[in-house]
Amino acid sequence: MYRVRLFAIRHARAFEWIYQRVEQVMVALDPVFMKIGYNRVERPVAILEQGVKTVLFDCKMCGQCVLSSTGMSCPMNCPKELRNGPCGGVRPGGYCEVKPAMKCVWSLAWDGASRMKGGDKIREVLPPVDRSLKGSSSWLRVSREKAAKLREAREASRTAVAEAFPEARAIEPSSAPLAEEPAGAVNREALKR
């Protein structure tokens, strides 16, 4: 596993690209996941994620994956599980103080991040691990959050257009009439009079 983990760090740029594509697919699948139910999809996606990430990154399935921020080096592989940088006991050559045969996870993280386009994310301070998410799919959680933000942005743009042109219903073109106002909707023209 350790050699595969080192391979993933050496090829961090390629894995960054793959991660972005997986995220795009997961966000695109949001309507399907919503229909099925995220709670029903969680277990199969978590099993798939665990299989892939355990082989490639020696993943511990913390539920809060930060591989894209840490140069494809999982901070949960640190014996101390440090998420924001190395401890003060890194040995010469970048080796771990607890496991002297292993390179420090954070030494590897800096190496991997230097190869990535978004490698500057390693400088961001990460929140502490939420142990209640252990075993859950971070792919599903992150894609669900991003899909929700996209829905909110689309809704905000529609609302902005409606608020910018309140008289549109009164002067609608006959070739493409607007839908009738729902019952209980506020009629702005009536309020102006």
Side-chain angles (χ1 to χ4, degrees):
M1 292 300 247
Y2 185 65
R3 287 186 181 186
V4 176
R5 193 181 344 157
L6 294 176
F7 172 84
I9 293 164
R10 279 193 310 272
H11 296 88
R13 179 110 179 228
F15 283 108
E16 176 185 35
W17 183 86
I18 292 167
Y19 241 66
Q20 290 169 347
R21 299 298 100 48
V22 168
E23 185 177 279
Q24 288 171 348
V25 168
M26 295 291 285
V27 170
L29 288 172
D30 176 66
V32 174
F33 293 154
M34 285 180 63
K35 277 193 191 267
I36 295 171
Y38 271 94
N39 54 346
R40 289 182 177 167
V41 178
E42 172 68 38
R43 188 74 187 131
V45 172
I47 290 170
L48 174 67
E49 181 177 345
Q50 183 176 15
V52 170
K53 287 170 48 179
T54 299
V55 170
L56 293 173
F57 311 108
D58 198 14
C59 176
K60 305 299 183 218
M61 286 300 286
C62 68
Q64 301 153 93
C65 188
V66 292
L67 287 169
S68 60
S69 301
T70 58
M72 298 296 157
S73 176
C74 179
M76 299 308 286
N77 287 317
C78 171
K80 297 178 181 181
E81 295 185 353
L82 299 175
R83 289 184 62 95
N84 285 302
C87 66
V90 178
R91 294 173 185 259
Y95 287 91
C96 178
E97 81 171 335
V98 178
K99 295 182 179 179
M102 180 179 90
K103 285 279 254 183
C104 172
V105 169
W106 283 97
S107 173
L108 295 171
W110 279 98
D111 182 36
S114 70
R115 300 166 193 263
M116 296 169 62
K117 282 185 179 178
D120 58 329
K121 288 194 279 184
I122 197 168
R123 297 180 186 280
E124 295 174 10
V125 176
L126 302 170
V129 177
D130 181 355
R131 301 287 179 187
S132 68
L133 295 174
K134 185 165 180 62
S136 66
S137 171
S138 63
W139 287 351
L140 201 57
R141 186 178 48 77
V142 169
S143 64
R144 185 179 193 177
E145 290 169 0
K146 289 196 176 199
K149 286 180 183 175
L150 287 172
R151 277 193 304 276
E152 288 173 13
R154 281 194 297 265
E155 187 60 34
S157 67
R158 274 187 266 178
T159 304
V161 169
E163 289 175 357
F165 301 104
E167 66 280 351
R169 293 202 183 276
I171 58 170
E172 65 186 57
S174 59
S175 62
L178 298 173
E180 292 296 319
E181 281 289 333
V186 177
N187 184 344
R188 293 177 193 247
E189 291 300 318
L191 291 175
K192 289 181 182 176
R193 294 180 194 158

